[in-house]
Amino acid sequence: MALDATLLLAIVIVTALVFDFTNGFHDTANAMATTISTGALKPKTAVAMSAVLNLVGAFLSVEVAKTISGGIINEDGLKTEVIFAALVGAILWNLLTWLVGLPSSSSHALFGGLIGAAVMSMGWSSVNGGTVVTKVLLPAVAAPIVAGLAAMLATRLTYRISKKTDQKATAKGYRAGQIASAGLVSLAHGTNDAQKTMGIITLALITGGVLNPGANPPLWVIVSAGVAIAMGTYLGGWRIIRTMGKGLTDLAPQQGFAAQTSAATAILASSHIGFSLSTTQVCSGAVMGSGLGRKGGVVRWSTATRMFVAWGLTLPAAGLVGAGAEFLTKQGPWGIGLTAALLVIGSGIIWKLSRRNSIDHTNVTDDEIRGAGPVSGAVEEPAGVVTTAIAAVTPPPVGTLATGESSEVKSTIPAPAPAVADPARPAGATL
């Protein structure tokens, strides 16, 4: 007995919104990690602002949604349960990387799940390889590099501009600039990531015969996707915020402003031309670039390496889970029910494990958390070859990490004069 098509479509839409919710709290760090780490905004205020702007951004464009709903996978012969299986793979990978505090790509988790499920269902011919290469893989490689270089140059420029200004006033001004740039990143995140869920729901509606192929997302799809990602954002992905804000590098307000502005520019440009970009990779690249742009700044490559590995594993890992889920859903209603049960059980286990070392807005900026230890990579490590080489040609900033006071100026306090022995005082006598 086949599962009612309307019921299956409803299950897929609800699961897609759950993915959108996980996308929100998984990617909150993209917009707000640097703002929180430099003290420009309090944690709860930051995530609330980001949530509102994510919702607004969802209404600005549908180009990315059209790429997903009609570009990556051939719609002919695609079944609704394939989309359900893809979402299972994406959600579980999102939750797993959130648990370990790694800023992996929610976008690539979704693409991996979708490709894996489609291949299991219809074979490799169901995947548009050209679209995957040009609009997924190439941007995945180029975007973090471009954003990182832009952030590095912007960081150098900000320090050069503020070289002869009052450093306390400059730091205060850049904190205000960070708030504006963080808002821009949140807006950009809404235009890019919320659209991915819109595209998935639209694809499900097309496969279910509700919409014609090539149709734009209906208004109710745009609204529901925007609300779901905003709610997830407000929940706050504190574990990943901690890694991006303190684990990759130590940021001054100037660096945070440069990183966020560079990332927002890259994301908005990609949304305009329909590239389904990983906002996580863009923002992480910008943070590392800003760390390299300040003389004496050190990128913690141990944390960055773990993050790179997670990026590389995301597509295949989510694809394997999506393929496994599709294998079950092909068995009929009992397979779909079992897949849904495994998703709920897996999510519950991950949540339970996360409670062992809870991280929230009250301790997200702490150097060490009871039960969790120091933030990943926060222990001082020697500057790597890349950091050393770039730092050697970076003009010295006027400012330390925290206050902007010059780290190059030698102390003007005279050293104490060496003690002179008093011939009239017995040896070992004290004053």
Side-chain angles (χ1 to χ4, degrees), residues 102-103 243 247-248 300-308 375-378 381:
L102 283 178
T243 297
L248 278 175
R300 298 183 179 104
W301 294 109
S302 59
T303 301
T305 300
R306 292 174 60 237
M307 189 173 64
F308 295 152
V375 64
S376 176
E381 61 182 47

Side-chain angles (χ1 to χ4, degrees), residues 179-272:
I179 296 173
S181 60
L184 190 60
V185 173
S186 297
L187 194 69
H189 184 259
T191 65
N192 202 284
D193 277 42
Q195 287 189 61
K196 292 158 190 169
T197 300
M198 295 179 207
I200 285 293
I201 295 177
T202 302
L203 185 60
L205 293 173
I206 291 172
T207 59
V210 178
L211 294 177
N212 294 322
N216 287 336
L219 179 61
W220 69 266
V221 172
I222 297 174
V223 172
S224 58
V227 170
I229 200 169
M231 290 174 61
T233 300
Y234 183 71
L235 181 66
W238 305 113
R239 309 174 84 84
I240 300 176
I241 288 175
R242 188 169 182 242
T243 297
M244 282 191 69
K246 298 181 73 66
L248 278 175
T249 187
D250 297 312
L251 295 175
Q254 293 94 321
Q255 294 168 279
F257 174 75
Q260 289 171 324
T261 303
S262 302
T265 303
I267 296 169
L268 286 172
S270 69
S271 297
H272 180 70

Side-chain angles (χ1 to χ4, degrees), residues 110-204:
L110 179 59
F111 300 148
L114 191 58
I115 292 170
V119 169
M120 175 60 71
S121 176
M122 300 177 292
W124 288 102
S125 61
S126 63
V127 180
N128 294 324
T131 302
V132 172
V133 171
T134 58
K135 292 202 171 185
V136 177
L137 296 181
L138 289 180
V141 174
I145 295 174
V146 171
L149 290 174
M152 184 176 69
L153 295 175
T155 299
R156 294 186 183 185
L157 180 62
T158 56
Y159 276 115
R160 186 178 294 276
I161 292 174
S162 61
K163 186 175 182 180
K164 296 182 180 180
T165 59
D166 179 75
Q167 296 307 304
K168 289 185 178 180
T170 298
K172 184 177 180 180
Y174 276 112
R175 285 192 178 95
Q178 266 194 283
I179 296 173
S181 60
L184 190 60
V185 173
S186 297
L187 194 69
H189 184 259
T191 65
N192 202 284
D193 277 42
Q195 287 189 61
K196 292 158 190 169
T197 300
M198 295 179 207
I200 285 293
I201 295 177
T202 302
L203 185 60

